[in-house]
Amino acid sequence: YPIFKHHYTIPTLTHTPQSIEGRMLDMLKIAKEYAPYTIFYNGAHCGASAPMHMHFQMVEGGLMPIEQAWRSSEERVLNDTILNGKLSLLTSLHRPVFLITSHDEWCAKTLFEELYNALPAQPGEEPMINVMVRYEHSQWIILVFPRAKHRPDCYYATDENQRLISPATVEMGGLIITPRQEDFEKITAQEFLNIYREITPTNDEIENIARQLYKTI
């Protein structure tokens, strides 16, 4: 079901499982061709509506709060500009977010792959992530949301604490979609901050990822 007025799905022509590995260059090219739209990817266990068939989604740019919030966030630079781009960890957004910016397509792809390879993953599966890409002012902006869990416990509750919230990129971007009116009326900001903490890696896990990136870049 579309969330936005202009909301598109971009599927592969061949039936293949949802995986971003080896497809970041495609994502970057789509983001440039269709700017100012925002392109995003939901991992198979991170809110993908069709985890059995590879697809991106494309929506009007600027509708998710993160698209502005990242600009004023505190950031910790993880590379030393050896490449023509920057990889940072944003540290003041209530959930861990990695930021890649570059004017060079190949550099943006390379930095994303370094991050992708540093993220933990179960055997035979890709890291749990949501990814958002924009192209503006001749620069690619990639926001990567590492995940630790598909859905929060409140999704499965059987009492008044149940909230049918299944976070994907849009929710990680700060726009909370509630399929049920009762959840819309009940959920609080604190509840959603708790959901962020539950479904994302711990501070120690993020530190471990950052240390790996320091070593590889």
Side-chain angles (χ1 to χ4, degrees), residues 114-205:
E114 293 286 359
L115 172 58
Y116 180 93
N117 291 328
L119 295 172
Q122 295 297 318
E125 296 186 4
E126 75 171 6
M128 294 183 69
I129 50 172
N130 299 102
V131 184
M132 183 185 302
V133 178
R134 288 180 56 78
Y135 184 79
E136 55 184 49
H137 307 302
S138 301
Q139 175 179 250
W140 281 276
I141 299 158
I142 306 173
L143 294 167
V144 179
F145 305 90
R147 297 283 296 273
K149 194 173 181 179
H150 186 186
R151 289 172 172 148
D153 290 344
C154 64
Y155 185 92
Y156 304 101
T158 56
D159 55 17
E160 69 277 2
N161 295 313
Q162 185 187 59
R163 303 284 186 269
L164 292 185
I165 305 294
S166 184
T169 302
V170 173
E171 287 77 14
M172 298 307 293
L175 188 63
I176 314 309
I177 305 303
T178 58
R180 301 190 309 186
Q181 183 177 346
E182 61 191 89
D183 294 333
F184 179 83
E185 294 171 346
K186 290 179 180 178
I187 196 165
T188 65
Q190 187 58 53
E191 280 186 282
F192 209 82
L193 291 178
N194 292 340
I195 288 174
Y196 275 153
R197 282 192 284 271
E198 185 180 348
I199 65 171
T200 57
T202 65
N203 290 338
D204 287 345
E205 289 168 333

Side-chain angles (χ1 to χ4, degrees), residues 71-142:
R71 304 172 197 274
S72 56
S73 172
E74 297 174 9
E75 68 175 308
R76 176 177 158 197
V77 178
L78 300 177
N79 77 337
D80 55 7
T81 66
I82 292 174
L83 297 171
N84 185 27
K86 183 173 69 172
L87 169 59
S88 303
L89 173 63
L90 304 182
T91 58
S92 59
L93 295 173
H94 303 292
R95 69 281 200 196
V97 184
F98 290 96
L99 167 70
I100 297 168
T101 56
S102 180
H103 294 277
D104 182 88
E105 182 180 69
W106 195 257
C107 171
K109 167 186 172 294
T110 301
L111 288 173
F112 173 78
E113 290 174 348
E114 293 286 359
L115 172 58
Y116 180 93
N117 291 328
L119 295 172
Q122 295 297 318
E125 296 186 4
E126 75 171 6
M128 294 183 69
I129 50 172
N130 299 102
V131 184
M132 183 185 302
V133 178
R134 288 180 56 78
Y135 184 79
E136 55 184 49
H137 307 302
S138 301
Q139 175 179 250
W140 281 276
I141 299 158
I142 306 173

Side-chain angles (χ1 to χ4, degrees), residues 1-40:
Y1 296 95
I3 296 171
F4 304 98
K5 183 177 181 180
H6 300 108
H7 188 163
Y8 305 96
T9 301
I10 307 171
T12 53
L13 293 176
T14 54
H15 184 58
T16 183
Q18 182 82 337
S19 174
I20 199 172
E21 186 174 13
R23 298 184 183 276
M24 177 48 66
L25 207 56
D26 295 334
M27 201 171 185
L28 296 173
K29 290 180 183 298
I30 294 168
K32 183 177 181 180
E33 183 172 352
Y34 290 95
Y37 276 79
T38 295
I39 317 303
F40 64 87

